[in-house]
Amino acid sequence: MRTVTIVGTGLMGTSVALALRRHGVRVHLLDCDAEAAETAAEMGAGVVGSPSGAADLVILAVPPRSIAPVLAAQQALGAGRVYTDVGSVKGWPLVSAGALGCDLSRYVGGHPIAGSERSGPRAASGTLFRDKPWVLTRHPGNDDASVAAVTELIRLCGARPVAMTQAAHDRALARTSHVPHLVSAILAATLDGADRELLALCGAGITDATRIAAGDSALWTDILQANACEVAAALADVAADLTKASQALVTGSADLTELLRRGNAGRSALLAARPRPGT
């Protein structure tokens, strides 16, 4: 991999660019926000503007519902030999790209499971993806060369490729990322307009629980709407447990203790499943 074009120079796009630059890959940066692209370039992420010919790989680092139209536009220009994305929703972009007549054989969906509540190129890091899983959602129309190119990208970024279907990915991310973000935002919203005396009593618990609520609201609206059905289903399960907890507080039933016990077990399982650095 010698030449890559990255469309979108926010946190994810710039982080990918910085990781690739460490391996001597020539990176071209495109963004409708010229200031963001220039900032990424100043950070050493690449050069602003398209290459003179087709890039080995075009990476779409744009919101999920923008992936398909941007893919169509880039393919119409013959911008690359292979195309991928880093969006956190996989079903919507693939279906939409097909409807727009994109060449799906050379488009391989991807999603690095890494990020930050911060946004923009200044929040980027060339080590953001190190030792992190990077989901690869190959579909039956993909050719082997395209899959190999995206797998090479993942390894150059220091991540671990994980194969999943689009449906399995979107179902999993609804429960592990999208609903947690929404719940965190709802909890943080209860503090909007709170007086200073109350805010002064906020400790680490609510600070930790609302950390991800700082994420870009426009981007997260796009993500949640692009995965609406899976998010709604997962959110309904959370709502059912909240209703059960509310009822248990009134009736004094053992359901409250059981919910807290399940929380203990889930937290323990999460920590046990996380790989240790370097393993």
Side-chain angles (χ1 to χ4, degrees):
M1 188 177 297
R2 292 172 295 186
T3 307
V4 167
T5 296
I6 297 180
V7 184
T9 53
L11 166 67
M12 301 300 283
T14 304
S15 293
V16 172
L18 291 170
L20 292 177
R21 290 295 300 132
R22 288 168 174 254
H23 296 279
V25 177
R26 183 169 178 80
V27 179
H28 293 261
L29 307 168
L30 302 177
D31 201 308
C32 58
D33 182 342
E35 184 178 350
E38 290 292 348
T39 297
E42 290 169 5
M43 294 171 61
V47 296
V48 178
S50 301
S52 57
D56 295 321
L57 180 66
V58 175
I59 303 167
L60 310 178
V62 297
R65 295 198 298 173
S66 297
I67 290 172
V70 173
L71 174 64
Q74 290 295 303
Q75 287 192 338
L77 294 171
R81 298 178 179 87
V82 180
Y83 301 81
T84 188
D85 70 274
V86 294
S88 69
V89 181
K90 303 272 57 93
W92 177 292
L94 182 63
V95 171
S96 300
L100 291 176
C102 295
D103 178 1
L104 298 183
S105 68
R106 297 186 295 132
Y107 164 58
V108 186
H111 178 214
I113 309 299
S116 169
E117 71 277 12
R118 298 170 62 210
S119 60
R122 291 293 184 194
S125 168
T127 61
L128 181 65
F129 312 110
R130 185 174 295 170
D131 297 322
K132 299 295 195 305
W134 189 311
V135 177
L136 191 66
T137 53
R138 179 175 187 166
H139 61 86
N142 283 143
D143 59 52
D144 291 339
S146 295
V147 175
V150 180
T151 302
E152 181 184 359
L153 163 70
I154 295 170
R155 297 199 183 281
L156 288 174
C157 289
R160 298 178 284 107
V162 177
M164 295 180 75
T165 65
Q166 291 80 16
H169 169 276
D170 290 354
R171 189 177 307 114
L173 266 292
R175 295 180 180 276
T176 62
S177 175
H178 303 162
V179 165
H181 187 96
L182 186 54
V183 170
S184 177
I186 291 169
L187 181 59
T190 66
L191 301 176
D192 185 28
D195 58 50
R196 294 182 63 85
E197 288 78 9
L198 185 149
L199 293 173
L201 297 175
C202 291
I206 193 164
T207 301
D208 291 346
T210 59
R211 177 184 62 82
I212 57 176
D216 184 278
S217 58
L219 172 62
W220 273 97
T221 297
D222 190 293
I223 291 169
L224 293 167
Q225 290 180 338
N227 199 24
C229 291
E230 293 293 352
V231 171
L235 193 61
D237 291 340
V238 173
D241 277 342
L242 289 173
T243 298
K244 186 181 293 185
S246 178
Q247 293 171 343
L249 286 168
V250 174
T251 63
S253 76
D255 286 346
L256 183 60
T257 302
E258 174 60 16
L259 280 169
L260 293 171
R261 187 204 63 76
R262 284 172 50 206
N264 294 156
R267 174 67 175 176
S268 295
L270 173 62
L271 294 179
R274 297 183 69 175
R276 296 176 182 176
T279 62

